[in-house]
Amino acid sequence: MTRVRFAPSPTGFLHIGALRTALYNFLFTRHMKGTMILRIEDTDRTRFVEGAEEDFIKMCGWVGIEFDEGSGIGGEVGPYRQSERTDIYRQHIEMLVERGTAYYAFDTAEELDAMRGRQQQAGIAPKYDRSSMRNQFTLGEEETKRLLAEGAEHTIRLFVPLTGETRTRDLVRGESVFSNRLIDDQILIKSDGFPTYHLANIVDDHLMNITHVIRGEEWLPSLPKHIILYQAFGWEPPEFAHLPLILNKERKKFSKRDGDTSVKDFVAKGYLPEALVNFIALLGWNPTADREIYSLQEMIDLFELTKVNKSGAIFDVEKLNWMNGMYLRQLPVERLVDDLMPMLEEAGFNDVDRAYAVTVVELVKERINFLHDVPEFADYLFGPVTSFDEEYHAKQWKEETGEQMKALADRLEGLAPVEWKTEMIEGVIRSYAEELGMSAGKLIHPLRLSLTGKRVGAGMFETMEVLGQERTITRLRDYLAKVEG
Ligand code: GLU
């Protein structure tokens, strides 16, 4: 039975990289019909951020990632918080000390600094030098017992053999071999008595029967240590998969400097969960060469860890915006209007008729990537035109334009109210253009400017139908009066 975990540290709100990790765990385990666990790795109390845990659950839920265990909601087992499991780590470190695979060390911060200084001078890589420092081996059992009884400050370190090699296996990266000589005697229990990430993480993965550890590439360098730790306990390690880095367009690590990285910022900016989750899934994986739009269920059906890329994935916000537009157009218009109504209020368009809002959304959705673009993109459909694009006027408004617009207004006024339909409006404009022996575009540009104040918008004839006959004629005549005097 597949069991995976998402194990964030509550040192900040859920960011894009962590969401990708959660998502890949989710896609994989749902594909395998396995279990998804949430575990809060909060042993570093100095970096604890209030509200982070709630944010993880909320943001994951927003894109459709559900936990089967550990979130503490819905009555399932959990929550799993490492800060509430310190007794378990204590018991386990004692097991290691007894087995001789972990040991006490009494070095002070100054002594460790001096050691690093010596190593730097000698040009060797920094690593705990068991033979020259103050620990269980150099001090002997008696002295160690005495110091412990005295309550001397200490850490507990992993015993890494000086000879031999450690083999690691990663489902994305393949196999690697490391010389033990180069692997550090990792601190497992800190001087404050709390376990380090490494100890708590491995004990929990074992006790929670995790079968696959799927996490960010930044943990890859720790993998040999983790394998040694599994051996130290005499446990079988799970499978590992390290996910590629997320990069900005300059191929540097995607970070706060690149703008928003918290998922909640993307929510606030109006991204749709379906679009964000689709986009995030493709940061390091794409099941086919010719498609980019996938529903969550399709991704679950297609997901394979062995197809995850090794090389970094570029976070391209333009692609995300495009994808948001794609999803926006697929969603039922009723849902869009539910979300749009408060946005219209906020933009100062009160009491907009819901059925009218539906018509407007149908009209403009092809042209926008965000729902919150609607109040600005189509302001002229909800209220009067408040400003006109003067530069565009100078370009489009010719000597004869005023006269043509006036004639057009008269013809449009001649349509019976029941005839005020896109095709009829189009017919009137095109036949007039034909009479004048010019392209319809030459009439449409100044017409758009008069009716909307802008140079771009949805189809002009459709827009005029939505605007209605009366508003169209009035606006056209008002603009003529304004510019022709
Ligand atoms: N707590 C670690 C993190 O937030 C988890 C790493 C892991 O999945 O092992 O990155």
Side-chain angles (χ1 to χ4, degrees):
M1 177 72 164
T2 301
R3 285 173 63 85
V4 302
R5 83 310 192 265
F6 174 48
S9 298
T11 54
F13 294 115
L14 189 72
H15 59 83
I16 289 293
L19 179 65
R20 200 253 328 245
T21 300
L23 180 61
Y24 281 24
N25 274 286
F26 179 73
L27 295 178
F28 176 68
T29 206
R30 284 288 177 270
H31 182 92
M32 304 297 286
K33 308 241 178 311
T35 302
M36 173 84 175
I37 292 163
L38 175 68
R39 183 173 76 223
I40 303 297
E41 301 210 323
D42 57 350
T43 53
D44 186 351
R45 304 309 288 174
T46 57
R47 295 178 61 209
F48 181 80
V49 170
E50 196 63 56
E53 181 180 328
E54 293 73 17
D55 181 71
F56 296 158
I57 297 172
K58 195 169 150 199
M59 292 300 120
C60 283
W62 183 69
V63 298
I65 299 172
E66 290 153 5
F67 298 100
D68 306 306
E69 254 179 54
S71 71
I73 50 171
E76 90 282 28
V77 208
Y80 295 143
R81 295 189 194 107
Q82 288 187 328
S83 60
E84 293 166 6
R85 296 167 60 83
T86 47
D87 285 350
I88 299 175
Y89 311 126
R90 249 296 134 206
Q91 286 158 15
H92 280 82
I93 196 71
E94 278 164 20
M95 278 169 57
L96 290 189
V97 173
E98 247 160 60
R99 290 172 75 109
T101 49
Y103 61 94
Y104 294 101
F106 299 91
D107 317 282
T108 61
E110 294 75 35
E111 287 167 339
L112 290 167
D113 277 348
M115 174 194 82
R116 279 183 218 112
R118 287 195 300 277
Q119 289 170 336
Q120 207 170 14
Q121 247 177 358
I124 49 177
K127 179 181 178 248
Y128 185 72
D129 180 9
R130 212 154 50 213
S131 62
S132 74
M133 301 303 284
R134 290 198 308 124
N135 54 52
Q136 209 175 330
F137 298 103
T138 53
L139 299 173
E141 294 303 317
E142 285 292 296
E143 177 65 359
T144 300
K145 272 207 192 105
R146 195 188 64 75
L147 283 170
L148 290 176
E150 204 176 73
E153 199 167 276
H154 64 272
T155 58
I156 304 180
R157 287 181 178 267
L158 173 67
F159 179 89
V160 179
L162 282 174
T163 55
E165 314 173 313
T166 296
R167 274 171 196 279
T168 62
R169 211 173 84 90
D170 185 279
L171 294 169
V172 177
R173 311 242 147 202
E175 294 199 8
S176 306
V177 182
F178 297 84
S179 169
N180 288 347
R181 204 165 37 79
L182 302 173
I183 302 172
D184 202 11
D185 281 7
Q186 177 63 49
I187 293 181
L188 300 176
I189 297 281
K190 294 179 279 185
S191 56
D192 62 5
F194 268 96
T196 55
Y197 150 75
H198 304 278
L199 176 69
N201 185 273
I202 266 114
V203 168
D204 281 346
D205 282 348
H206 177 74
L207 295 181
M208 294 177 185
N209 295 313
I210 300 301
T211 57
H212 294 78
V213 168
I214 304 166
R215 61 184 172 193
E217 188 176 289
E218 65 273 23
W219 295 108
L220 194 59
S222 299
L223 188 54
K225 267 191 285 211
H226 290 179
I227 298 295
I228 293 177
L229 195 44
Y230 276 102
Q231 289 163 352
F233 277 113
W235 295 337
E236 199 53 46
E239 299 274 7
F240 292 92
H242 288 86
L243 310 178
L245 287 177
I246 300 179
L247 308 173
N248 64 18
K249 278 192 161 169
E250 283 76 48
R251 304 199 69 85
K252 301 255 161 56
K253 198 170 179 228
F254 178 66
S255 72
K256 283 218 172 79
R257 260 169 285 132
D258 300 302
D260 291 328
T261 54
S262 288
V263 178
K264 72 176 172 52
D265 297 330
F266 287 83
V267 178
K269 279 189 174 166
Y271 287 97
L272 294 165
E274 294 89 343
L276 189 68
V277 80
N278 187 159
F279 173 79
I280 296 288
L282 299 189
L283 292 173
W285 170 73
N286 193 344
T288 56
D290 57 351
R291 246 181 88 186
E292 297 206 283
I293 302 291
Y294 300 94
S295 69
L296 197 55
Q297 189 56 51
E298 283 175 312
M299 295 194 283
I300 290 170
D301 295 342
L302 293 163
F303 193 79
E304 279 176 76
L305 275 176
T306 48
K307 295 274 165 66
V308 171
N309 300 331
K310 288 194 209 30
S311 55
I314 310 265
F315 189 96
D316 177 356
V317 79
E318 273 130 50
K319 179 169 160 184
L320 171 59
N321 293 348
W322 165 80
M323 224 175 235
N324 204 66
M326 296 294 283
Y327 275 96
L328 194 73
R329 293 186 264 289
Q330 281 177 19
L331 284 177
V333 70
E334 289 295 334
R335 161 153 166 211
L336 296 178
V337 171
D338 284 344
D339 294 347
L340 179 65
M341 295 309 278
M343 296 179 191
L344 289 174
E345 291 260 339
E346 207 173 308
F349 301 122
N350 302 315
D351 307 319
V352 174
D353 179 61
R354 199 186 150 89
Y356 179 71
V358 168
T359 318
V360 173
V361 169
E362 292 284 16
L363 176 67
V364 302
K365 68 180 186 181
E366 290 302 323
R367 317 279 166 139
I368 51 168
N369 285 331
F370 295 93
L371 196 59
H372 60 65
D373 287 344
V374 173
E376 202 193 309
F377 183 85
D379 54 356
Y380 51 86
L381 288 171
F382 296 108
V385 180
T386 47
S387 71
F388 292 88
D389 186 333
E390 284 172 26
E391 199 189 317
Y392 195 57
H393 176 91
K395 215 169 130 206
Q396 295 295 338
W397 207 272
K398 306 272 153 46
E399 277 270 340
E400 61 288 1
T401 306
E403 204 179 301
Q404 291 166 354
M405 288 298 118
K406 189 181 168 309
L408 202 50
D410 293 341
R411 289 178 183 222
L412 289 167
E413 207 164 21
L415 284 175
V418 289
E419 293 177 314
W420 194 257
K421 291 274 173 300
T422 301
E423 304 73 46
M424 292 295 281
I425 299 168
E426 178 168 4
V428 170
I429 295 170
R430 289 203 188 282
S431 63
Y432 182 48
E434 224 165 273
E435 267 173 49
L436 293 173
M438 58 197 256
S439 76
K442 292 234 163 58
L443 291 177
I444 292 171
H445 299 314
L447 193 55
R448 181 184 298 284
L449 181 65
S450 316
L451 299 177
T452 73
K454 303 181 202 243
R455 62 177 83 188
V456 285
M460 198 61 238
F461 313 125
E462 290 88 344
T463 302
M464 287 166 75
E465 179 181 333
V466 173
L467 210 48
Q469 189 172 20
E470 205 188 303
R471 271 200 294 182
T472 302
I473 308 298
T474 313
R475 275 190 198 181
L476 195 48
R477 295 215 193 280
D478 284 354
Y479 192 66
L480 274 168
K482 178 174 141 86
V483 299
E484 297 280 312

mmCIF file of all heavy atoms in Angstrom, residues 50-86:
data_model
loop_
_atom_site.group_PDB
_atom_site.id
_atom_site.type_symbol
_atom_site.label_atom_id
_atom_site.label_comp_id
_atom_site.label_asym_id
_atom_site.label_seq_id
_atom_site.Cartn_x
_atom_site.Cartn_y
_atom_site.Cartn_z
ATOM 1 N N GLU A 50 3.044 31.619 13.191
ATOM 2 C CA GLU A 50 1.629 31.430 13.591
ATOM 3 C C GLU A 50 0.743 31.398 12.342
ATOM 4 O O GLU A 50 0.887 32.239 11.459
ATOM 5 C CB GLU A 50 1.254 32.617 14.490
ATOM 6 C CG GLU A 50 0.015 32.446 15.312
ATOM 7 C CD GLU A 50 0.122 31.315 16.333
ATOM 8 O OE1 GLU A 50 1.066 31.340 17.169
ATOM 9 O OE2 GLU A 50 -0.733 30.421 16.274
ATOM 10 N N GLY A 51 -0.146 30.438 12.266
ATOM 11 C CA GLY A 51 -1.109 30.404 11.157
ATOM 12 C C GLY A 51 -0.615 29.646 9.935
ATOM 13 O O GLY A 51 -1.378 29.426 8.989
ATOM 14 N N ALA A 52 0.661 29.244 9.939
ATOM 15 C CA ALA A 52 1.201 28.567 8.753
ATOM 16 C C ALA A 52 0.506 27.217 8.520
ATOM 17 O O ALA A 52 0.126 26.895 7.397
ATOM 18 C CB ALA A 52 2.712 28.381 8.887
ATOM 19 N N GLU A 53 0.321 26.469 9.589
ATOM 20 C CA GLU A 53 -0.290 25.144 9.449
ATOM 21 C C GLU A 53 -1.698 25.251 8.824
ATOM 22 O O GLU A 53 -2.034 24.505 7.896
ATOM 23 C CB GLU A 53 -0.374 24.481 10.833
ATOM 24 C CG GLU A 53 -0.980 23.096 10.801
ATOM 25 C CD GLU A 53 -1.051 22.448 12.187
ATOM 26 O OE1 GLU A 53 -0.171 22.704 13.035
ATOM 27 O OE2 GLU A 53 -2.003 21.685 12.417
ATOM 28 N N GLU A 54 -2.474 26.187 9.321
ATOM 29 C CA GLU A 54 -3.832 26.394 8.793
ATOM 30 C C GLU A 54 -3.758 26.771 7.316
ATOM 31 O O GLU A 54 -4.562 26.329 6.498
ATOM 32 C CB GLU A 54 -4.557 27.511 9.553
ATOM 33 C CG GLU A 54 -4.890 27.203 11.001
ATOM 34 C CD GLU A 54 -3.685 27.220 11.932
ATOM 35 O OE1 GLU A 54 -2.627 27.787 11.549
ATOM 36 O OE2 GLU A 54 -3.771 26.642 13.036
ATOM 37 N N ASP A 55 -2.762 27.617 6.996
ATOM 38 C CA ASP A 55 -2.594 28.053 5.607
ATOM 39 C C ASP A 55 -2.254 26.872 4.695
ATOM 40 O O ASP A 55 -2.778 26.760 3.587
ATOM 41 C CB ASP A 55 -1.494 29.123 5.557
ATOM 42 C CG ASP A 55 -1.273 29.654 4.148
ATOM 43 O OD1 ASP A 55 -2.161 30.377 3.654
ATOM 44 O OD2 ASP A 55 -0.235 29.329 3.541
ATOM 45 N N PHE A 56 -1.398 25.955 5.160
ATOM 46 C CA PHE A 56 -1.028 24.784 4.341
ATOM 47 C C PHE A 56 -2.286 23.999 3.961
ATOM 48 O O PHE A 56 -2.488 23.628 2.810
ATOM 49 C CB PHE A 56 -0.098 23.824 5.115
ATOM 50 C CG PHE A 56 1.240 24.409 5.490
ATOM 51 C CD1 PHE A 56 1.974 23.858 6.537
ATOM 52 C CD2 PHE A 56 1.768 25.502 4.814
ATOM 53 C CE1 PHE A 56 3.208 24.377 6.895
ATOM 54 C CE2 PHE A 56 2.999 26.026 5.170
ATOM 55 C CZ PHE A 56 3.723 25.462 6.214
ATOM 56 N N ILE A 57 -3.105 23.746 4.986
ATOM 57 C CA ILE A 57 -4.298 22.914 4.770
ATOM 58 C C ILE A 57 -5.289 23.632 3.850
ATOM 59 O O ILE A 57 -5.839 23.049 2.921
ATOM 60 C CB ILE A 57 -4.951 22.550 6.126
ATOM 61 C CG1 ILE A 57 -3.964 21.716 6.950
ATOM 62 C CG2 ILE A 57 -6.262 21.802 5.922
ATOM 63 C CD1 ILE A 57 -4.394 21.439 8.376
ATOM 64 N N LYS A 58 -5.434 24.946 4.110
ATOM 65 C CA LYS A 58 -6.411 25.720 3.340
ATOM 66 C C LYS A 58 -5.987 25.833 1.867
ATOM 67 O O LYS A 58 -6.789 25.620 0.958
ATOM 68 C CB LYS A 58 -6.510 27.108 3.978
ATOM 69 C CG LYS A 58 -7.712 27.877 3.532
ATOM 70 C CD LYS A 58 -7.889 29.108 4.410
ATOM 71 C CE LYS A 58 -8.534 30.189 3.571
ATOM 72 N NZ LYS A 58 -8.373 31.501 4.130
ATOM 73 N N MET A 59 -4.724 26.149 1.643
ATOM 74 C CA MET A 59 -4.250 26.349 0.266
ATOM 75 C C MET A 59 -4.227 25.028 -0.510
ATOM 76 O O MET A 59 -4.555 24.982 -1.692
ATOM 77 C CB MET A 59 -2.861 27.000 0.253
ATOM 78 C CG MET A 59 -2.864 28.427 0.743
ATOM 79 S SD MET A 59 -3.927 29.466 -0.287
ATOM 80 C CE MET A 59 -5.104 30.040 0.882
ATOM 81 N N CYS A 60 -3.816 23.957 0.156
ATOM 82 C CA CYS A 60 -3.838 22.651 -0.513
ATOM 83 C C CYS A 60 -5.286 22.316 -0.881
ATOM 84 O O CYS A 60 -5.576 21.901 -2.002
ATOM 85 C CB CYS A 60 -3.253 21.567 0.388
ATOM 86 S SG CYS A 60 -1.450 21.614 0.440
ATOM 87 N N GLY A 61 -6.187 22.542 0.064
ATOM 88 C CA GLY A 61 -7.604 22.259 -0.175
ATOM 89 C C GLY A 61 -8.142 23.088 -1.328
ATOM 90 O O GLY A 61 -8.944 22.617 -2.136
ATOM 91 N N TRP A 62 -7.680 24.303 -1.424
ATOM 92 C CA TRP A 62 -8.161 25.219 -2.471
ATOM 93 C C TRP A 62 -7.886 24.664 -3.877
ATOM 94 O O TRP A 62 -8.701 24.796 -4.785
ATOM 95 C CB TRP A 62 -7.486 26.590 -2.280
ATOM 96 C CG TRP A 62 -7.930 27.648 -3.228
ATOM 97 C CD1 TRP A 62 -9.161 28.243 -3.270
ATOM 98 C CD2 TRP A 62 -7.152 28.248 -4.269
ATOM 99 N NE1 TRP A 62 -9.186 29.173 -4.278
ATOM 100 C CE2 TRP A 62 -7.977 29.201 -4.910
ATOM 101 C CE3 TRP A 62 -5.844 28.065 -4.714
ATOM 102 C CZ2 TRP A 62 -7.547 29.964 -5.973
ATOM 103 C CZ3 TRP A 62 -5.408 28.840 -5.767
ATOM 104 C CH2 TRP A 62 -6.248 29.769 -6.398
ATOM 105 N N VAL A 63 -6.736 24.029 -4.051
ATOM 106 C CA VAL A 63 -6.442 23.451 -5.379
ATOM 107 C C VAL A 63 -6.903 21.997 -5.502
ATOM 108 O O VAL A 63 -6.707 21.383 -6.546
ATOM 109 C CB VAL A 63 -4.941 23.556 -5.768
ATOM 110 C CG1 VAL A 63 -4.491 24.993 -5.855
ATOM 111 C CG2 VAL A 63 -4.059 22.748 -4.836
ATOM 112 N N GLY A 64 -7.477 21.454 -4.445
ATOM 113 C CA GLY A 64 -8.026 20.096 -4.545
ATOM 114 C C GLY A 64 -7.164 18.994 -3.945
ATOM 115 O O GLY A 64 -7.432 17.811 -4.156
ATOM 116 N N ILE A 65 -6.121 19.377 -3.200
ATOM 117 C CA ILE A 65 -5.278 18.358 -2.556
ATOM 118 C C ILE A 65 -5.885 18.040 -1.182
ATOM 119 O O ILE A 65 -6.036 18.926 -0.350
ATOM 120 C CB ILE A 65 -3.831 18.870 -2.365
ATOM 121 C CG1 ILE A 65 -3.208 19.198 -3.717
ATOM 122 C CG2 ILE A 65 -2.989 17.861 -1.587
ATOM 123 C CD1 ILE A 65 -1.857 19.892 -3.628
ATOM 124 N N GLU A 66 -6.237 16.771 -0.999
ATOM 125 C CA GLU A 66 -6.845 16.374 0.271
ATOM 126 C C GLU A 66 -5.925 15.414 1.011
ATOM 127 O O GLU A 66 -5.247 14.611 0.380
ATOM 128 C CB GLU A 66 -8.155 15.637 0.003
ATOM 129 C CG GLU A 66 -9.243 16.538 -0.515
ATOM 130 C CD GLU A 66 -10.245 15.771 -1.351
ATOM 131 O OE1 GLU A 66 -10.138 14.527 -1.438
ATOM 132 O OE2 GLU A 66 -11.109 16.429 -1.933
ATOM 133 N N PHE A 67 -5.955 15.516 2.328
ATOM 134 C CA PHE A 67 -5.144 14.622 3.155
ATOM 135 C C PHE A 67 -6.039 13.533 3.737
ATOM 136 O O PHE A 67 -7.169 13.792 4.126
ATOM 137 C CB PHE A 67 -4.457 15.406 4.270
ATOM 138 C CG PHE A 67 -3.514 16.443 3.728
ATOM 139 C CD1 PHE A 67 -3.899 17.775 3.648
ATOM 140 C CD2 PHE A 67 -2.265 16.069 3.256
ATOM 141 C CE1 PHE A 67 -3.038 18.724 3.116
ATOM 142 C CE2 PHE A 67 -1.399 17.018 2.713
ATOM 143 C CZ PHE A 67 -1.788 18.343 2.643
ATOM 144 N N ASP A 68 -5.494 12.319 3.789
ATOM 145 C CA ASP A 68 -6.250 11.220 4.380
ATOM 146 C C ASP A 68 -5.921 11.069 5.848
ATOM 147 O O ASP A 68 -6.668 10.473 6.604
ATOM 148 C CB ASP A 68 -5.906 9.906 3.656
ATOM 149 C CG ASP A 68 -6.103 10.034 2.164
ATOM 150 O OD1 ASP A 68 -7.206 10.424 1.759
ATOM 151 O OD2 ASP A 68 -5.145 9.790 1.405
ATOM 152 N N GLU A 69 -4.737 11.562 6.229
ATOM 153 C CA GLU A 69 -4.281 11.425 7.614
ATOM 154 C C GLU A 69 -3.467 12.648 7.976
ATOM 155 O O GLU A 69 -2.738 13.173 7.133
ATOM 156 C CB GLU A 69 -3.291 10.241 7.702
ATOM 157 C CG GLU A 69 -3.831 9.011 8.350
ATOM 158 C CD GLU A 69 -2.780 7.911 8.358
ATOM 159 O OE1 GLU A 69 -1.663 8.137 8.840
ATOM 160 O OE2 GLU A 69 -3.107 6.819 7.854
ATOM 161 N N GLY A 70 -3.572 13.064 9.217
ATOM 162 C CA GLY A 70 -2.620 14.045 9.747
ATOM 163 C C GLY A 70 -3.063 15.478 9.743
ATOM 164 O O GLY A 70 -2.437 16.309 10.391
ATOM 165 N N SER A 71 -4.122 15.813 9.020
ATOM 166 C CA SER A 71 -4.500 17.223 9.005
ATOM 167 C C SER A 71 -5.385 17.549 10.203
ATOM 168 O O SER A 71 -5.570 18.711 10.547
ATOM 169 C CB SER A 71 -5.231 17.577 7.713
ATOM 170 O OG SER A 71 -6.509 17.004 7.710
ATOM 171 N N GLY A 72 -5.926 16.497 10.827
ATOM 172 C CA GLY A 72 -6.743 16.724 12.017
ATOM 173 C C GLY A 72 -8.117 17.257 11.715
ATOM 174 O O GLY A 72 -8.867 17.581 12.612
ATOM 175 N N ILE A 73 -8.436 17.371 10.422
ATOM 176 C CA ILE A 73 -9.810 17.781 10.104
ATOM 177 C C ILE A 73 -10.563 16.582 9.551
ATOM 178 O O ILE A 73 -9.969 15.666 9.013
ATOM 179 C CB ILE A 73 -9.870 18.977 9.112
ATOM 180 C CG1 ILE A 73 -8.985 18.722 7.889
ATOM 181 C CG2 ILE A 73 -9.497 20.281 9.791
ATOM 182 C CD1 ILE A 73 -9.154 19.745 6.790
ATOM 183 N N GLY A 74 -11.853 16.609 9.706
ATOM 184 C CA GLY A 74 -12.661 15.521 9.162
ATOM 185 C C GLY A 74 -12.565 14.258 10.002
ATOM 186 O O GLY A 74 -12.961 13.181 9.582
ATOM 187 N N GLY A 75 -12.032 14.370 11.216
ATOM 188 C CA GLY A 75 -12.034 13.250 12.155
ATOM 189 C C GLY A 75 -11.033 12.152 11.853
ATOM 190 O O GLY A 75 -11.045 11.102 12.479
ATOM 191 N N GLU A 76 -10.134 12.363 10.884
ATOM 192 C CA GLU A 76 -9.154 11.306 10.607
ATOM 193 C C GLU A 76 -8.027 11.375 11.633
ATOM 194 O O GLU A 76 -8.005 12.264 12.483
ATOM 195 C CB GLU A 76 -8.644 11.402 9.157
ATOM 196 C CG GLU A 76 -7.424 12.260 8.918
ATOM 197 C CD GLU A 76 -7.719 13.738 8.902
ATOM 198 O OE1 GLU A 76 -8.678 14.180 9.566
ATOM 199 O OE2 GLU A 76 -6.952 14.457 8.269
ATOM 200 N N VAL A 77 -7.085 10.431 11.560
ATOM 201 C CA VAL A 77 -5.986 10.399 12.527
ATOM 202 C C VAL A 77 -5.160 11.672 12.389
ATOM 203 O O VAL A 77 -4.964 12.169 11.297
ATOM 204 C CB VAL A 77 -5.041 9.204 12.245
ATOM 205 C CG1 VAL A 77 -4.362 8.759 13.518
ATOM 206 C CG2 VAL A 77 -5.742 8.077 11.531
ATOM 207 N N GLY A 78 -4.662 12.134 13.501
ATOM 208 C CA GLY A 78 -3.828 13.322 13.447
ATOM 209 C C GLY A 78 -4.426 14.428 14.262
ATOM 210 O O GLY A 78 -5.382 14.191 14.976
ATOM 211 N N PRO A 79 -3.969 15.667 14.230
ATOM 212 C CA PRO A 79 -2.843 16.107 13.407
ATOM 213 C C PRO A 79 -1.502 15.513 13.861
ATOM 214 O O PRO A 79 -1.342 15.152 15.014
ATOM 215 C CB PRO A 79 -2.865 17.621 13.620
ATOM 216 C CG PRO A 79 -3.570 17.849 14.906
ATOM 217 C CD PRO A 79 -4.528 16.725 15.056
ATOM 218 N N TYR A 80 -0.592 15.415 12.895
ATOM 219 C CA TYR A 80 0.755 14.969 13.216
ATOM 220 C C TYR A 80 1.645 16.199 13.301
ATOM 221 O O TYR A 80 1.901 16.837 12.271
ATOM 222 C CB TYR A 80 1.302 14.053 12.122
ATOM 223 C CG TYR A 80 0.556 12.744 11.959
ATOM 224 C CD1 TYR A 80 0.369 12.209 10.696
ATOM 225 C CD2 TYR A 80 0.082 12.028 13.069
ATOM 226 C CE1 TYR A 80 -0.295 10.997 10.526
ATOM 227 C CE2 TYR A 80 -0.584 10.810 12.898
ATOM 228 C CZ TYR A 80 -0.772 10.305 11.627
ATOM 229 O OH TYR A 80 -1.420 9.117 11.460
ATOM 230 N N ARG A 81 2.060 16.510 14.510
ATOM 231 C CA ARG A 81 2.991 17.635 14.692
ATOM 232 C C ARG A 81 4.207 17.103 15.421
ATOM 233 O O ARG A 81 4.073 16.517 16.501
ATOM 234 C CB ARG A 81 2.353 18.740 15.537
ATOM 235 C CG ARG A 81 1.178 19.401 14.884
ATOM 236 C CD ARG A 81 0.730 20.633 15.666
ATOM 237 N NE ARG A 81 -0.575 21.039 15.192
ATOM 238 C CZ ARG A 81 -1.716 20.871 15.876
ATOM 239 N NH1 ARG A 81 -1.692 20.344 17.089
ATOM 240 N NH2 ARG A 81 -2.865 21.255 15.365
ATOM 241 N N GLN A 82 5.375 17.342 14.861
ATOM 242 C CA GLN A 82 6.575 16.773 15.468
ATOM 243 C C GLN A 82 6.824 17.325 16.873
ATOM 244 O O GLN A 82 7.360 16.625 17.724
ATOM 245 C CB GLN A 82 7.782 17.004 14.558
ATOM 246 C CG GLN A 82 7.694 16.118 13.315
ATOM 247 C CD GLN A 82 8.937 16.168 12.468
ATOM 248 O OE1 GLN A 82 9.613 17.209 12.406
ATOM 249 N NE2 GLN A 82 9.241 15.076 11.799
ATOM 250 N N SER A 83 6.415 18.565 17.105
ATOM 251 C CA SER A 83 6.652 19.143 18.440
ATOM 252 C C SER A 83 5.883 18.371 19.519
ATOM 253 O O SER A 83 6.217 18.462 20.697
ATOM 254 C CB SER A 83 6.244 20.618 18.461
ATOM 255 O OG SER A 83 4.870 20.729 18.157
ATOM 256 N N GLU A 84 4.879 17.598 19.117
ATOM 257 C CA GLU A 84 4.100 16.826 20.090
ATOM 258 C C GLU A 84 4.579 15.379 20.164
ATOM 259 O O GLU A 84 3.953 14.545 20.796
ATOM 260 C CB GLU A 84 2.607 16.866 19.701
ATOM 261 C CG GLU A 84 2.030 18.263 19.837
ATOM 262 C CD GLU A 84 0.676 18.428 19.149
ATOM 263 O OE1 GLU A 84 0.113 17.426 18.662
ATOM 264 O OE2 GLU A 84 0.204 19.581 19.107
ATOM 265 N N ARG A 85 5.680 15.087 19.467
ATOM 266 C CA ARG A 85 6.157 13.700 19.410
ATOM 267 C C ARG A 85 7.584 13.560 19.939
ATOM 268 O O ARG A 85 8.274 12.592 19.617
ATOM 269 C CB ARG A 85 6.097 13.217 17.941
ATOM 270 C CG ARG A 85 4.684 13.167 17.384
ATOM 271 C CD ARG A 85 4.666 13.014 15.879
ATOM 272 N NE ARG A 85 5.319 11.796 15.406
ATOM 273 C CZ ARG A 85 4.746 10.603 15.361
ATOM 274 N NH1 ARG A 85 3.503 10.462 15.737
ATOM 275 N NH2 ARG A 85 5.406 9.558 14.916
ATOM 276 N N THR A 86 8.015 14.522 20.769
ATOM 277 C CA THR A 86 9.427 14.505 21.175
ATOM 278 C C THR A 86 9.793 13.264 21.995
ATOM 279 O O THR A 86 10.922 12.791 21.911
ATOM 280 C CB THR A 86 9.804 15.791 21.944
ATOM 281 O OG1 THR A 86 8.795 16.021 22.915
ATOM 282 C CG2 THR A 86 9.896 16.988 21.031
#
